Structures are given as C-alpha cells and as structure tokens.
Amino acid sequence: MKEIDLHKDLKNDSRVFMPGLFDKDIKNFNVLYIKHNTDDKFNCKPFNRKSLYKISLLKGRTKLYYADKTMESDCALLFTNPNIPYSWEHIDSEQSSYFCIFTDEFFDQFVNIKDYPVYKPGNVPLFHLNEEQYVQFENIFKQMLHEITLEFSYKYDSLRAMLLQLILTALKLEPAAYQRYNDSNGSQRISSIFMELLERQFPIESHMQRMEFRYPTEFAHQLSIHVNHLNHALKQVTGKTTTQLIAERIMQEARSLLQHTDWNISEIAWCLGFDDLPHFINFFKRSQQLTPKIYRRESNI
C-alpha cells in the first residue's frame, strides 16, 4: 500500500474525490479510510499546516503521543488540533483508520469549532470506545465517505452536519466532564478569558517567541480586576489557583519543547519567560523530579 503523506496541501491532494463545483470547501475538508497490515508503515506525524484540525477513528492497538502525554488504546476516537503536537504509532498487525481533516474556514459563519470541549485547551482528546460505540462512529464516517463522492450542490452542508454529529456524539460519551456553563456566571466568564489569554501564548513555534504574560498580576491587569478576584474565580471554576494553572501550562509546553525540538535548554527557558537558566531548572525539577536535560534524554529513548 502506498503510504499517504498527510502533510500534503489538501488543494493539491489527488485523493479528493469530488466535482470541481465547490472550490472553497474542497480546500477545507477531506475524509479518508485506510486499512493496513504488518507490511505497511503508517504512523501519523503532526500536521505542519497551522489551520488543520482532524478527527480520527482508530481500530487496533495504537500508541498516541499528545503534547507531553502518552496513551494507548485498542479502539478510539481522537480529536487533534493544530496547536498541540501529536503523533501516533500502530502496534497491532491489523489496523484500520478513518479520518477527516478540516479547517476553521469549513465552519465559517456556521459555528466556532474552538467552542467545543474536544478542542478546548487542557481537555484529553482521546475517547476509548467499545465495539458498539466504534460501529456507531464508523457508520458516520461511512456516510461521509459516500457523501463526498456525490454530485450534490449541498453536500458540504451535509458533511458539516455529519462532522458536528461526530463531535456531539463523542461529547455524549462523557457528559459530566463537558457540561456547558451558564454564560451569566461571572466566575466562568473570568475563567474563560483567563484561559484564552494564557493559551494564546502557545504553542511556542520559534526560539524568538517569548511568553508575554507569566504572573497572576499580569493576567489580572489584562482583565482589569484585582488579582484576588481572579484567583477566587479560577479556584471556584477549576479548583486551582492562578499560579497553579499558569505553572501547569508552562510545564506542558516545556515538556513538549524538550520532546519535539532540538533547541537548547537555555532557549526553551527564555521562551517560557525565565530570565535565568537555574530558575527554569529548579521549576522543572520541582514538578518532574528530573532536570530538563535528563527528562529530554529519557523521553527520547
């Protein structure tokens, strides 16, 4: 089987089976199915194109590397976004994968895809499935594969609906974890704005890029509230302090940069807002019980 290059630009992809009537949507959406065996080498690497989102239905023992985490599953639905580095490798001999790739623009004027919890910062994007749940998602993917071949003027509207069906069906698997907050809740609003300010500083994609806000007082100033008010709101919504949330996100990015780049540790420390290397090493060691150098060496074994 010919290995598929997922980094290839969608508009030049010869596997897009559709008539030339929908130029805008052709560039913003695709759905595929791949079956492979022991002789095939199909391991996914992260997208380089910043605008691409992906939903994958994986069957067969798979190891997922997502940001700083490693997870394994026999049967899973995976949501990945362009801001978090990820890859996977298949372990079992018999494997199959359905996946759809899309951009923000595919939902332009319909919904904001980033509003859904599966694409919210900090949420785990992997849903472990039993056989019945797998068949349920497989049927949606099969519908999408059929729909994309049709010469139907509104087929992309139909595909948008099916894509949302994938997301909403996944959210129903863990409803308690993804309850929508009341928009009138002041603490939730403060928490949402804080998380957006924090998350907008990532990912760090160049050793010339540096975090702008690192301390609770800086975030409070941006929100025009007292730092105690910010801390109270975050504690109420997340159960964590402002300092804890900032430190956790910095640590996530630190681990990711140590695993996925060859930058030296001083460069990583500077990008994450540390003015001196010993401060960063002590910060990292308190969390991981390892120095950054040892963590990098052990994570790449």
Side-chain angles (χ1 to χ4, degrees):
M1 184 193 75
K2 184 179 179 182
E3 186 170 344
I4 293 178
D5 181 4
L6 295 183
H7 295 274
K8 190 174 181 182
D9 191 67
L10 289 179
K11 67 182 178 182
N12 296 322
D13 196 329
S14 61
R15 297 182 306 280
V16 182
F17 307 115
M18 52 192 89
L21 303 174
F22 319 96
D23 185 60
K24 178 178 180 295
D25 283 320
I26 286 175
K27 296 175 183 178
N28 291 317
F29 179 85
N30 198 8
V31 58
L32 296 163
Y33 170 70
I34 298 172
K35 187 173 183 179
H36 38 98
N37 55 41
T38 312
D39 298 327
D40 298 322
K41 293 182 179 179
F42 185 76
N43 294 321
C44 175
K45 296 183 178 180
F47 286 110
N48 286 329
R49 291 184 65 213
K50 192 169 179 61
S51 60
L52 286 172
Y53 290 76
K54 185 178 179 184
I55 304 175
S56 309
L57 182 63
L58 310 172
K59 191 168 189 180
R61 195 71 180 166
T62 302
K63 182 176 287 188
L64 169 70
Y65 305 93
Y66 184 82
D68 58 306
K69 301 178 180 67
T70 301
M71 297 171 276
E72 288 192 17
S73 179
D74 292 311
C75 190
L77 188 70
L78 172 65
F79 293 85
T80 44
N81 70 68
N83 293 326
I84 304 293
Y86 72 95
S87 62
W88 76 63
E89 60 178 300
H90 289 307
I91 300 171
D92 286 348
S93 58
E94 294 294 327
Q95 301 281 346
S96 64
S97 308
Y98 292 89
F99 55 90
C100 58
I101 308 165
F102 57 97
T103 66
D104 274 333
E105 288 77 13
F106 186 63
F107 284 103
D108 192 26
Q109 299 178 356
F110 291 87
V111 298
N112 184 353
I113 197 67
K114 296 174 185 176
D115 286 342
Y116 288 94
V118 291
Y119 289 118
K120 287 281 189 181
N123 286 336
V124 177
L126 187 71
F127 292 78
H128 298 279
L129 307 176
N130 59 35
E131 188 61 33
E132 182 181 348
Q133 291 166 338
Y134 176 85
V135 171
Q136 183 180 14
F137 287 105
E138 183 182 38
N139 287 336
I140 300 173
F141 271 101
K142 285 180 176 179
Q143 284 182 277
M144 295 170 80
L145 285 165
H146 173 70
E147 192 75 18
I148 203 168
T149 65
L150 301 179
E151 295 191 22
F152 170 50
S153 300
Y154 300 99
K155 72 177 179 182
Y156 282 102
D157 291 331
S158 179
L159 286 163
R160 268 183 279 270
M162 292 177 196
L163 204 160
L164 285 175
Q165 186 182 0
L166 283 174
I167 294 172
L168 296 173
T169 304
L171 294 178
K172 290 176 184 177
L173 298 179
E174 300 180 45
Y178 294 118
Q179 288 297 328
R180 187 182 292 233
Y181 287 90
N182 189 326
D183 290 340
S184 64
N185 186 313
S187 293
Q188 174 59 29
R189 180 177 177 277
I190 290 170
S191 178
S192 296
I193 297 172
F194 165 82
M195 293 303 295
E196 183 178 0
L197 282 172
L198 177 61
E199 197 61 34
R200 275 206 319 241
Q201 300 181 97
F202 305 103
I204 303 291
E205 297 184 298
S206 164
H207 50 66
M208 300 299 292
Q209 179 184 345
R210 196 178 200 215
M211 285 186 66
E212 185 177 357
F213 311 121
R214 267 203 73 225
Y215 300 102
T217 51
E218 294 172 329
F219 285 94
H221 178 72
Q222 291 297 311
L223 273 65
S224 301
I225 59 176
H226 193 277
V227 68
N228 291 344
H229 187 186
L230 172 61
N231 200 54
H232 175 76
L234 293 175
K235 189 77 173 175
Q236 184 179 28
V237 173
T238 70
K240 298 177 181 179
T241 66
T242 314
T243 300
Q244 284 177 305
L245 291 167
I246 296 169
E248 286 176 3
R249 187 59 182 90
I250 291 174
M251 274 302 306
Q252 178 184 324
E253 195 69 11
R255 290 190 295 262
S256 182
L257 291 171
L258 288 166
Q259 290 179 35
H260 298 286
T261 75
D262 58 1
W263 303 352
N264 66 52
I265 293 170
S266 294
E267 289 174 326
I268 292 173
W270 182 86
C271 290
L272 295 175
F274 294 88
D275 292 321
D276 58 81
L277 182 58
H279 184 193
F280 172 64
I281 293 173
N282 290 333
F283 169 83
F284 193 92
K285 194 173 180 179
R286 280 197 304 273
S287 172
Q288 294 296 128
Q289 289 73 54
L290 295 172
T291 65
K293 183 177 181 180
I294 294 174
Y295 176 85
R296 169 176 269 173
R297 185 173 68 234
E298 292 189 354
S299 66
N300 291 324
I301 292 175

